[in-house]
Amino acid sequence: NERTSARALRATRRAEQREVLAPETRPKKPSPVVQAPKVKSAKPTTAKIHPTVGLEIEFLEGPNRGESIVLHKNDIESIVLGSKPRSGGERFTVDDSSLGPSHVRLELETRKTFCSLMVTDLKGAAGVSINKDMIAQGKKKKAFINDRIIFGQSTIKVKAL
């Protein structure tokens, strides 16, 4: 039973060594995921849209060449363009007889600091296209920065502010 006592002696020594080892010499175990403590603030915080979030619509071709329209989150968010716009809200007259009175609606869409433009064909005879892709009459399609929107004789470009 020398074997048994030798085994017991080794086991005891191992146990003692584990207890004696300083924390920095112990084998490291992977630490559990620790979540950052929740900080309570005096005021509730809300995501605010940057004051310059918006888009510029520049006329590249057509009778209004060189003119621009600015759509801004805190100001004009939607505008109707046509030969004699009648829809409610902001309107912009385009000097083009091939356009319907209210030909196209441009609506600013924002997600925090990201902007896009929802383009709606208001059933004008000349139609509306984004980058040469026609929009079906009465339908909507998104346009993004650097896209070109064509309707009648006019070509406009979507630009960042």
Side-chain angles (χ1 to χ4, degrees), residues 19 26 46 77 82 105 114 132:
E19 291 175 7
R26 289 185 187 154
T46 57
E77 294 184 41
R105 176 181 292 120
F114 174 79
K132 299 184 181 179

Side-chain angles (χ1 to χ4, degrees), residues 20 36 56 97 105-106 131 141:
V20 172
E56 179 183 358
S97 60
R105 176 181 292 120
L106 306 175
N131 298 327
K141 189 173 180 181

Side-chain angles (χ1 to χ4, degrees), residues 35-62:
Q35 292 184 353
K38 292 183 180 179
V39 178
K40 293 182 181 179
S41 62
K43 296 179 184 177
T45 57
T46 57
K48 291 184 180 178
I49 293 183
H50 192 273
T52 60
V53 171
L55 296 171
E56 179 183 358
I57 311 303
E58 180 186 6
F59 282 83
L60 300 177
E61 296 176 19

Side-chain angles (χ1 to χ4, degrees), residues 5-159:
S5 62
R7 283 185 193 159
L9 182 61
R10 276 187 251 134
T12 305
R13 284 184 187 158
R14 276 189 243 127
E16 288 172 353
Q17 285 177 342
R18 276 183 281 193
E19 291 175 7
V20 172
L21 285 176
E24 60 273 356
T25 60
R26 289 185 187 154
K28 293 188 178 183
K29 294 181 183 176
S31 60
V33 176
V34 179
Q35 292 184 353
K38 292 183 180 179
V39 178
K40 293 182 181 179
S41 62
K43 296 179 184 177
T45 57
T46 57
K48 291 184 180 178
I49 293 183
H50 192 273
T52 60
V53 171
L55 296 171
E56 179 183 358
I57 311 303
E58 180 186 6
F59 282 83
L60 300 177
E61 296 176 19
N64 295 79
R65 182 180 182 175
E67 294 184 52
S68 293
I69 302 168
V70 174
L71 297 178
H72 191 276
K73 177 64 182 166
N74 299 320
D75 192 14
I76 299 172
E77 294 184 41
S78 174
I79 192 162
V80 174
L81 299 117
S83 60
K84 295 179 185 173
R86 292 179 288 203
S87 298
E90 297 295 327
R91 297 171 283 224
F92 185 87
T93 301
V94 180
D95 303 322
D96 185 348
S97 60
S98 68
L99 298 181
S102 295
H103 195 85
V104 63
R105 176 181 292 120
L106 306 175
E107 297 173 81
L108 179 68
E109 291 192 339
T110 57
R111 301 282 187 258
K112 292 197 180 186
T113 58
F114 174 79
C115 291
S116 62
L117 192 66
M118 183 60 73
V119 181
T120 306
D121 182 328
L122 298 175
K123 301 181 182 179
V128 180
S129 65
I130 299 174
N131 298 327
K132 299 184 181 179
D133 291 330
M134 288 298 291
I135 300 174
Q137 284 193 343
K139 300 296 180 182
K140 299 178 180 185
K141 189 173 180 181
K142 277 192 181 185
F144 301 95
I145 293 171
N146 293 324
D147 281 351
R148 291 173 188 248
I149 302 166
I150 302 166
F151 52 96
Q153 300 170 12
S154 299
T155 300
I156 59 176
K157 183 177 181 180
V158 181
K159 297 170 74 176

